[in-house]
Amino acid sequence: HPVHVLKLSLICHSTSEPPHLYFFVFHLSLLCLTTPPPPPNQPPLHPLTTTPFKSFFCLAAYSCKCVPGALVQIDVGVGQVFGVNNDDSIFIRYGSSWTQLPGKLKHVTVGPAGVWGANRENHIFKLVGADWVTVPGNLKQIDAGGDQFVAGANHGDAPFCLPKENTVGYRKGNSALNWRQIPGSLKYYSCGPYSCWGVNNKYQIFVKKGVNSFNCEGDGHWQLIHGGLSMIEVGSDGSVYGVDPAGKVFRRDSTSACKPEGTSWTQIPLYSGQVKHVSYDLGHLWLILKDDNIFDCTDL
């Protein structure tokens, strides 16, 4: 394979108390590896490609604040922050503190379609007012980041979506919902305003284009994206972030409505090897580390 040249200078300043400031200064020349490596013990999905470019200098700086508490999963969207801990307790963040909500969920999501969740039995719930109401269907992972539609994966890794007609006005007692099964196999599925992204149990990455509030299945075609990730999240602005099996964070570059698949992956050098979950909204990249610590990182 071609040689990838990366010159890295790192200046790190931190104090014993949050917030921590991490300043990463890069000088890259010749070639840049912008795709996450394949997962451990997995061959590349296809021959490794490189992106030649002119030598440049860039400064990437992040302010990361350690947030009190411990969570195993977090989701942020439309300016709200929700999470669950290892006891399946549910929390919402108000200002600088967490408020526990009633109920138990293993996965919670917030977005244009509202607040939804799935419990240990894979039962689905929607937050209506102050109550969790049961939603027909079964999912192990759920995402409300699409354009007022909901998507997720069931225990058999089958992806599903629920269009706007069944999500926004859903109240307990509605008629049977029109869950739409999407061909394919994914363990994690997340949607944004113009695309949905997923990863399977081999860490392969796929993107679905042409999604909207009424056609949540998209255009019917899965596009394979080079790289390997264990989880992936799409922000409400279309930003795509993921974590690889080694605990490194990646961002998909140049995603847009015209080019939902973007161009390449860039590693975000924060807590490398320690991250298990990410979520992004309104300039805030939230990280959950393998020890359940929570960090809120913002670009400077």
Side-chain angles (χ1 to χ4, degrees):
H1 296 303
V3 175
H4 303 269
V5 179
L6 174 64
K7 297 178 181 179
L8 170 65
S9 298
L10 172 63
I11 305 171
C12 179
H13 169 73
S14 66
T15 63
S16 59
E17 298 295 335
H20 303 295
L21 296 182
Y22 293 85
F23 294 93
F24 298 91
V25 182
F26 295 90
H27 179 266
L28 296 89
S29 59
L30 300 182
L31 296 172
C32 179
L33 179 62
T34 54
T35 301
N41 303 318
Q42 292 284 338
L45 302 181
H46 47 71
L48 189 65
T49 59
T50 59
T51 304
F53 58 97
K54 296 180 180 179
S55 178
F56 68 93
F57 179 89
C58 66
L59 173 66
Y62 299 88
S63 172
C64 288
K65 177 174 63 176
C66 183
V67 177
L71 297 174
V72 297
Q73 183 258 328
I74 195 168
D75 197 56
V76 297
V78 294
Q80 296 180 292
V81 181
F82 283 79
V84 295
N85 67 8
N86 60 7
D87 188 40
D88 293 352
S89 296
I90 313 158
F91 296 88
I92 181 174
R93 191 156 183 84
Y94 289 118
S96 60
S97 62
W98 296 103
T99 297
Q100 185 172 351
L101 300 179
K104 295 284 186 178
L105 295 174
K106 68 174 179 179
H107 196 102
V108 66
T109 180
V110 57
V115 182
W116 298 65
N119 67 9
R120 290 287 166 185
E121 290 73 41
N122 298 325
H123 296 157
I124 306 168
F125 298 87
K126 181 186 179 185
L127 187 62
V128 179
D131 300 316
W132 293 102
V133 300
T134 304
V135 178
N138 289 275
L139 293 175
K140 66 176 181 180
Q141 174 266 327
I142 190 167
D143 186 90
D147 183 13
Q148 296 185 304
F149 67 88
V150 169
N154 72 5
H155 68 283
D157 288 356
F160 285 83
C161 68
L162 190 64
K164 174 183 176 180
E165 63 196 59
N166 291 143
T167 61
V168 176
Y170 180 80
R171 299 293 185 270
K172 189 174 182 179
N174 280 22
S175 58
L177 299 183
N178 184 24
W179 283 104
R180 301 176 183 178
Q181 184 172 355
I182 304 167
S185 178
L186 297 173
K187 68 174 184 176
Y188 203 104
Y189 193 43
S190 179
C191 296
Y194 44 75
S195 65
C196 293
W197 292 68
V199 296
N200 65 14
N201 59 13
K202 296 180 181 179
Y203 308 114
Q204 292 173 307
I205 309 164
F206 297 88
V207 62
K208 172 82 71 170
K209 305 176 189 178
V211 298
N212 57 55
S213 57
F214 301 101
N215 179 34
C216 60
E217 307 103 306
D219 61 11
H221 170 70
W222 288 108
Q223 180 176 342
L224 178 65
I225 302 296
H226 182 60
L229 295 174
S230 57
M231 66 82 58
I232 196 164
E233 279 285 341
V234 187
S236 56
D237 64 351
S239 300
V240 179
Y241 289 83
V243 180
D244 75 359
K248 299 175 183 177
V249 179
F250 290 85
R251 181 193 66 228
R252 189 68 178 173
D253 295 326
S254 302
T255 56
S256 68
C258 295
K259 192 177 179 63
E261 70 273 23
T263 56
S264 58
W265 294 104
T266 294
Q267 184 179 344
I268 306 299
L270 295 172
Y271 306 98
S272 184
Q274 303 178 57
V275 182
K276 65 179 177 181
H277 198 93
V278 296
S279 190
Y280 177 86
D281 182 51
L282 299 177
H284 290 257
L285 178 62
W286 290 78
L287 310 176
I288 303 296
L289 305 192
K290 294 177 181 178
D291 59 7
D292 297 347
N293 279 327
I294 311 162
F295 284 86
D296 174 14
C297 298
T298 55
D299 293 332
L300 290 180

